[in-house]
Amino acid sequence: MTQTAPAAHGPGGRAGGKVTAAMLLAVALALTAAGCSSAPHSAGSGDSAAGRAAAPSRTVVPAAPLPVSLVPLPSQLAVTGGPGYPITSATVLQAVGGAAAGQVAGELATLLRGTTGLALPVRDGAATGAGIVLRLVPAGTAGRAGGGYGAEGYGLVSGPDGVTVTASAGAGLFHGIQTLRQLLPARGDGTVPAVRITDRPRYPVRSAQLDVARHFFPVPVVEKFIDLMAEYKFNYLHLHLTDDQGWRIAIPGLPGLTGVGASTEVGGGRGGYYTDADYRAIVAYAAARYITVVPEVDLPAHVNAALTAYPSLACAGGPAPAPYTRIGGGFDNVCAGRQQTYTFIDRVVGTLAAMTPGPWIGIGGDEATTLDAADYAEVMTRASAIVRAHGKQPLAWEDAAAAGPGGPSVLAVWHPASQEAAQLRRQVVAAARRGVPVIMEPADHAYLDQKYNAATPLGLRWAGYVDTERSYDWNPDTDLPGLPSGSVAGIEAALWTETLATPQNLWTMLLPRLPALAEVGWSPQAARNWPSFARRLASQAPRWDAQGYTGWTHDAGVPWPAGA
Ligand code: TNX
């Protein structure tokens, strides 16, 4: 066994041997280095040998495999030691406290069937005997951290008699079963080690963006993307549905958008689009995994595909521009001063709002280099009002802070701090002071379309190389100087697809950086450090292999297990 072996090969795992004192100390060192308690009661751990030994160094590397290796790191984790709970054909999944518990138990049964081959029964109602219990309790019931589990938190306790996951909402139970999956091996049944976890996210928004405009990806690929998001506790899917190179969503009454507008993509491929039923299928698949879809239509620029179908949306009125199938964009715009523009936006936004249960509709706002400031502000303000009139909140790229108080309700920061114009920074800070929440996705940390390094065959590099450590090692609260505290609602991992044409291309860029951003968004900043993360990340690789995410990147600096 090596120190990078996956969790199931450690003590308590199927292949585990006797737990030695040295192994326990090693575990304690690793967990303390990760900012966790290695003892059942975290208050006492600071005086322990483990705590003293780990204190001076951030780079403690234990000499034995970890019995637990979780990504993202839970906010409180104690490895209680002793025997764990073996999953066998006699294991029953018990759902207590409501329909959502039953639904999550069903999802767990599906997941365990995939990894173990066992068809474990799901039972509703009061828990009896050994097994896995998923329990919903009333909001406000104190978790071990106090203050309740919140909307997404959960508790997980395991021992020889079974595993109990407790939460106050379905989302919390769902996140809890993702943790439970990671306590088991990538394949086979195995034993859940004895742990006590209380966990809740740092930020309420942990989003992943997928650009289906530059290259189109059909519903099953989006579902596989969603599976990965769910595994790492993301909760928003930001779908970039329109851009210069393609329009990807059917809008009743505007057939040209899915005719000519959808028929192109970068590199000359055939493109494609989602029907109403396709889009609803994505929304439902995401919702079943507690992920909210945020559809985005890019305005007032990045509209060449729409103009190929409806050239009268541009101030010149025609002729129709040629399709654009190269990298780049933002060289065109809808006409700010013409009512037709807002009739069009109303139809598009109205259609999306009617199919979208989530609170936000994205209206773009980036890289509008061909409008003057007043025209830009007019489109973003009127588009924001249209979104609100349809009962949703407008989300836009940070550029739209220029629109002032009538602008979007949520802003996404994408410029690397070092590349952001001083005026834009002031506008974003002013919006945040007015109470506009900010989602952080600075390209030099969160743009997963950027190359890892000079050898990466795919991707762009305008924000510099973004290796996994760069994706991991930053603090969203302080990355943009001047933001008032509490204004960061969360983070987003952005996957633009100018250079990504196949599902495997997506996995190459997402893995291993998506899990890095998951931990940035979920785990306490003070508990995070790269050496601990790199080791836990390495243990995820057999899962990606087992799940078919082929082509993931063996980024340097991560102790990947042999054979993965
Ligand atoms: C900038 S970020 C863009 C996208 C590109 C991306 C490539 C933003 C809001 N606009 O249109 O795809 O860079 O990295």
Side-chain angles (χ1 to χ4, degrees):
M1 284 194 287
T2 71
Q3 65 188 27
T4 57
H9 293 172
R14 224 170 25 151
K18 261 180 69 179
V19 180
T20 65
M23 286 168 97
L24 279 178
L25 177 63
V27 167
L29 286 170
L31 293 171
T32 308
C36 294
S37 165
S38 57
H41 301 289
S42 53
S45 66
D47 294 334
S48 70
R52 279 197 306 277
S57 167
R58 278 173 24 108
T59 56
V60 175
V61 177
L66 290 173
V68 295
S69 194
L70 302 172
V71 175
L73 188 69
S75 42
Q76 290 187 0
L77 160 65
V79 179
T80 43
Y85 175 70
I87 306 282
T88 69
S89 57
T91 298
V92 175
L93 310 184
Q94 302 184 51
V96 184
Q103 187 252 330
V104 176
E107 174 72 9
L108 179 61
T110 304
L111 293 169
L112 291 177
R113 182 163 199 160
T115 56
T116 67
L118 298 171
L120 302 179
V122 176
R123 296 220 181 103
D124 280 328
T128 49
I132 298 176
V133 180
L134 305 183
R135 184 193 302 276
L136 279 174
V137 295
T141 306
R144 271 186 83 248
Y149 295 107
E152 293 194 279
Y154 66 93
L156 188 156
V157 180
S158 51
D161 295 333
V163 181
T164 302
V165 183
T166 311
S168 295
L173 283 185
F174 188 80
H175 296 319
I177 69 164
Q178 303 310 317
T179 299
L180 178 53
R181 285 171 81 186
Q182 291 190 12
L183 292 169
L184 288 163
R187 279 200 184 92
D189 31 8
T191 293
V192 181
V195 296
R196 184 175 282 276
I197 292 170
T198 307
D199 199 10
R200 58 194 303 170
R202 176 182 183 185
Y203 293 115
V205 178
R206 302 168 312 281
S207 181
Q209 181 257 33
L210 179 62
D211 170 12
V212 294
R214 271 55 177 273
H215 281 100
F216 179 68
F217 295 94
V219 173
V221 179
V222 178
E223 290 178 348
K224 202 148 170 69
F225 183 93
I226 290 171
D227 288 344
L228 206 48
M229 291 176 62
E231 192 168 355
Y232 293 105
K233 302 186 173 73
F234 283 85
N235 61 351
Y236 285 85
L237 169 62
H238 180 183
L239 265 189
H240 185 71
L241 290 167
T242 75
D243 214 301
D244 291 309
Q245 296 89 344
W247 183 282
R248 307 299 179 207
I249 183 80
I251 305 293
L254 295 169
L257 293 174
T258 45
V260 55
S263 65
T264 51
E265 61 183 12
V266 170
R270 288 173 49 219
Y273 66 91
Y274 303 124
T275 63
D276 166 287
D278 290 337
Y279 181 80
R280 289 181 195 273
I282 292 170
V283 166
Y285 192 89
R289 288 151 186 82
Y290 295 90
I291 290 171
T292 301
V293 172
V294 181
E296 176 178 45
V297 47
D298 213 342
L299 295 165
H302 290 269
V303 291
N304 193 72
L307 297 182
T308 59
Y310 297 104
S312 60
L313 288 168
C315 289
Y324 185 77
T325 57
R326 285 177 289 135
I327 293 174
F331 46 77
D332 48 26
N333 60 271
V334 292
C335 196
R338 201 178 289 151
Q339 178 52 36
Q340 188 197 358
T341 294
Y342 304 100
T343 306
F344 172 83
I345 295 173
D346 186 66
R347 165 111 4 150
V348 172
V349 166
T351 302
L352 291 173
M355 300 192 293
T356 302
W360 295 334
I361 304 279
I363 54 173
D366 57 315
E367 299 178 316
T369 53
T370 55
L371 296 85
D372 67 27
D375 283 355
Y376 175 81
E378 180 177 1
V379 179
M380 295 315 287
T381 303
R382 292 181 68 176
S384 294
I386 289 169
V387 172
R388 292 188 180 103
H390 285 284
K392 303 292 181 185
Q393 296 299 311
L395 170 146
W397 300 104
E398 62 178 321
D399 316 47
S409 304
V410 185
L411 291 171
V413 167
W414 62 276
H415 291 93
S418 60
Q419 290 184 27
E420 188 164 59
Q423 187 191 14
L424 179 57
R425 177 176 302 185
R426 279 196 299 277
Q427 290 166 335
V428 173
V429 168
R433 289 213 179 102
R434 289 195 305 272
V436 172
V438 170
I439 295 170
M440 292 299 295
E441 52 186 300
D444 54 339
H445 297 291
Y447 266 30
L448 303 188
D449 69 327
Q450 302 296 297
K451 290 176 182 291
Y452 292 83
N453 55 52
T456 311
L458 304 164
L460 305 177
R461 48 166 293 188
W462 65 265
Y465 297 125
V466 180
D467 65 13
T468 309
E469 185 169 358
R470 249 195 109 62
S471 283
Y472 183 79
D473 228 347
W474 61 293
N475 183 349
D477 280 350
T478 56
D479 196 69
L480 182 66
L483 279 183
S485 81
S487 50
V488 174
I491 59 114
E492 177 165 285
L495 194 57
W496 303 99
T497 58
E498 287 95 328
T499 65
L500 312 178
T502 67
Q504 181 162 324
N505 289 168
L506 303 183
W507 321 141
T508 297
M509 301 309 264
L510 285 170
L511 293 171
R513 294 180 294 189
L514 190 75
L517 288 166
E519 185 151 312
V520 172
W522 181 279
S523 307
Q525 183 75 19
R528 299 201 293 114
N529 70 76
W530 169 253
S532 154
F533 177 72
R535 295 179 57 264
R536 287 179 286 112
L537 180 65
S539 74
Q540 300 294 306
R543 301 181 190 281
W544 308 331
D545 289 337
Q547 294 160 5
Y549 292 104
T550 48
W552 58 269
T553 298
H554 290 68
D555 200 14
V558 178
W560 302 113

